[in-house]
Amino acid sequence: MGKKERLDKIISNMGYGSRKDVKRFIKDGLIEVNGHIVTKNDIKIDPYIDEIYFNNEKVEYREYIYLMMNKPKGLVSSTDDPMTRTVIDILEDEYLVYRPFPAGRLDKDTVGLLLITNDGKLAHEILSPKKGIDKTYYVEVNGYVEEKHLKKFEKGIVLDDGYRTLPAQMEIIHSDAISKVYLTIQEGKYHQVKRMFESLSMKVIFLKRISMGPLKLDEELKEGEYRELTEEELNMLKRF
Ligand code: URA
């Protein structure tokens, strides 16, 4: 249940058109509330309780959207960019009306789990350094990653700017000239994972985020695909 708001504002915010368009829709008798054709555009309704129909189709009201994307390479994690396509550019129009933004950043060449939402409060909470939410990455690096490196990551790595990272947890999947590991960090400094390995003279050649707190990347999503969070995933995130 929410509070009452002007019908024309609600319809317009949901992407059906400008306030002026909505005025015309009302004049044309296209909008019904609780079974009655609306004749005034300044009526106030509760969109969670009152039933709205537009052109005989039910309007499913919601304020927030939550999308899980498997970010592909080549897109930047912002809402707009003068040079490069963004993760928002690949969303369908039905989501754009909610003005979503990525909750957190992945580099242009990083793939994997990205949460896209218009819920500023939730985004702020999960990104808060105080929360220190776990972010786990699958990483391929040029170089032999060995047991001795685990200890270094556990102690914290001193980056190129002198900052010592918080303890990070690493699991070695495969150790060779190109090694494969899972790395879990609780921070989100600029290019953090790449810079952590650079400090050990290793270069990250593939980086994929596979989880953020309780949210795990859905393996069914190919790079560039996205879906809405399930209710269970959303509840887990909210409780976190
Ligand atoms: N660390 C990086 O270096 N890049 C990312 O995209 C995410 C974490």
Side-chain angles (χ1 to χ4, degrees), residues 71-73 106-112 194 207-209:
K71 180 193 168 295
K73 278 190 182 179
L106 290 177
D107 295 338
K108 193 172 164 189
D109 59 354
T110 300
V111 301
K194 292 174 185 162
L207 187 58
K208 175 179 186 175
R209 182 155 64 195

Side-chain angles (χ1 to χ4, degrees), residues 71 77 105-111 135 137 185 187-196 204 207-209:
K71 180 193 168 295
S77 306
R105 276 169 191 266
L106 290 177
D107 295 338
K108 193 172 164 189
D109 59 354
T110 300
V111 301
K135 288 161 279 262
Y137 296 85
I185 58 176
E187 302 167 283
K189 303 269 176 238
Y190 181 65
H191 292 333
Q192 180 155 346
V193 174
K194 292 174 185 162
R195 287 162 70 213
M196 287 170 93
V204 170
L207 187 58
K208 175 179 186 175
R209 182 155 64 195

Side-chain angles (χ1 to χ4, degrees), residues 89-216:
D89 290 336
I90 63 170
L91 299 182
E92 282 158 73
D93 287 351
E94 65 172 295
Y95 293 114
L96 295 182
V97 297
Y98 295 97
R99 298 178 203 281
F101 56 87
R105 276 169 191 266
L106 290 177
D107 295 338
K108 193 172 164 189
D109 59 354
T110 300
V111 301
L113 178 62
L114 192 63
L115 175 67
I116 296 179
T117 182
N118 59 344
D119 184 343
K121 189 162 167 272
L122 182 87
H124 181 76
E125 273 170 21
I126 60 171
L127 295 176
S128 154
K130 269 195 232 139
K131 266 248 158 97
I133 196 167
D134 277 354
K135 288 161 279 262
T136 300
Y137 296 85
Y138 165 78
V139 197
E140 292 183 7
V141 290
N142 250 325
Y144 283 91
V145 180
E146 301 168 81
E147 288 292 315
K148 65 177 184 193
H149 296 119
L150 300 190
K151 298 209 175 66
K152 292 195 174 179
F153 275 96
E154 260 164 31
K155 278 194 193 148
I157 302 272
V158 179
L159 300 180
D160 44 11
D161 58 2
Y163 175 78
R164 181 182 284 277
T165 64
L166 292 175
Q169 300 76 45
M170 184 158 67
E171 184 190 327
I172 301 174
I173 307 167
H174 182 74
S175 179
D176 210 328
I178 290 179
S179 301
K180 297 173 183 172
V181 306
Y182 291 121
L183 183 68
T184 301
I185 58 176
Q186 287 79 32
E187 302 167 283
K189 303 269 176 238
Y190 181 65
H191 292 333
Q192 180 155 346
V193 174
K194 292 174 185 162
R195 287 162 70 213
M196 287 170 93
F197 280 98
E198 264 161 31
S199 295
L200 303 174
S201 304
M202 292 187 222
K203 188 168 166 51
V204 170
I205 52 172
F206 180 76
L207 187 58
K208 175 179 186 175
R209 182 155 64 195
I210 55 171
S211 69
M212 263 177 94
L215 199 59
K216 312 261 175 281

Side-chain angles (χ1 to χ4, degrees), residues 11-22:
I11 302 274
S12 176
N13 284 353
M14 290 194 70
Y16 286 88
S18 65
R19 292 265 193 115
K20 206 167 144 205
D21 294 333
V22 177

Side-chain angles (χ1 to χ4, degrees), residues 74-76 78-86 89 108:
L75 301 186
V76 292
S78 54
T79 44
D80 63 302
D81 187 283
M83 310 288 283
T84 316
R85 290 220 309 154
T86 74
D89 290 336
K108 193 172 164 189

